[in-house]
Amino acid sequence: MEKHYDTLRFEIFDPYEAKETWAVEFDKRNWHSVKIFVNDNELNALLVELEDKEKGVLTPTNPANEYGHNGVYIVDQLESDYADSYGASVCCCAGCGEEGCWGIRVKVRKSEHEVVWHDFEHEHMSYTYGGLEFHFERNAYDAEIRKLQQWAKQYKH
């Protein structure tokens, strides 16, 4: 039986033009941030949906009111030697843009053929995210990381 892998895609955008609160508030014009898509769904929206489920919220929360998008430097965390023990920040605070203020970390475990994002953890709340895990095929994951590395060289702030 063939293993099913999740898909990962990074998309670069200007958060000021997109009117992300932190980018407008701190006048971050021409800044470059990264949206993360897993299985063609934006990660921030997936996480907020799971948080709403845990809180029993009946009216969906707007993900833009909870989380912003990290800059291209996210690649440094995803590729860090500490990514499996400490984790990598996959989003930032919607209000200030700081990852440690109101963000979510994920641990990244790599093997020869697979990369697993596991143990999602909010930096201030005790959400479980339903034990969420994503399993990416290593070659496809590495191709997305190379794309991020190129953007980091091009748009480093």
Side-chain angles (χ1 to χ4, degrees), residues 19-31:
K19 298 189 180 357
E20 286 207 4
T21 303
W22 67 270
V24 173
E25 177 77 19
F26 297 102
D27 198 27
K28 298 290 187 178
R29 296 171 196 264
N30 300 312
W31 202 257

Side-chain angles (χ1 to χ4, degrees), residues 20 42-49 51-52 60-69 92 94:
E20 286 207 4
E42 188 173 5
L43 183 60
N44 286 4
L46 290 170
L47 295 170
V48 169
E49 182 180 326
E51 291 170 6
D52 281 352
T61 302
N62 181 347
N65 293 337
E66 296 294 315
Y67 303 112
H69 298 86
C92 66

Side-chain angles (χ1 to χ4, degrees), residues 104-122:
I104 298 172
R105 300 189 77 71
V106 63
K107 293 183 178 173
V108 181
R109 181 176 58 243
K110 296 179 181 180
S111 68
E112 183 179 351
H113 300 290
E114 179 179 62
V115 176
V116 180
W117 284 10
H118 62 100
D119 293 335
F120 284 81
E121 181 179 13
H122 193 284

Side-chain angles (χ1 to χ4, degrees), residues 88-144:
S89 179
V90 291
C91 58
C92 66
C93 173
C96 70
E98 295 295 323
E99 65 186 53
C101 177
W102 193 257
I104 298 172
R105 300 189 77 71
V106 63
K107 293 183 178 173
V108 181
R109 181 176 58 243
K110 296 179 181 180
S111 68
E112 183 179 351
H113 300 290
E114 179 179 62
V115 176
V116 180
W117 284 10
H118 62 100
D119 293 335
F120 284 81
E121 181 179 13
H122 193 284
E123 293 177 333
H124 298 288
M125 302 297 287
S126 59
Y127 301 122
T128 67
Y129 299 103
L132 185 65
E133 280 192 358
F134 296 116
H135 296 255
F136 306 112
E137 190 272 325
R138 180 68 188 256
N139 289 334
Y141 183 89
D142 288 345
E144 285 299 304

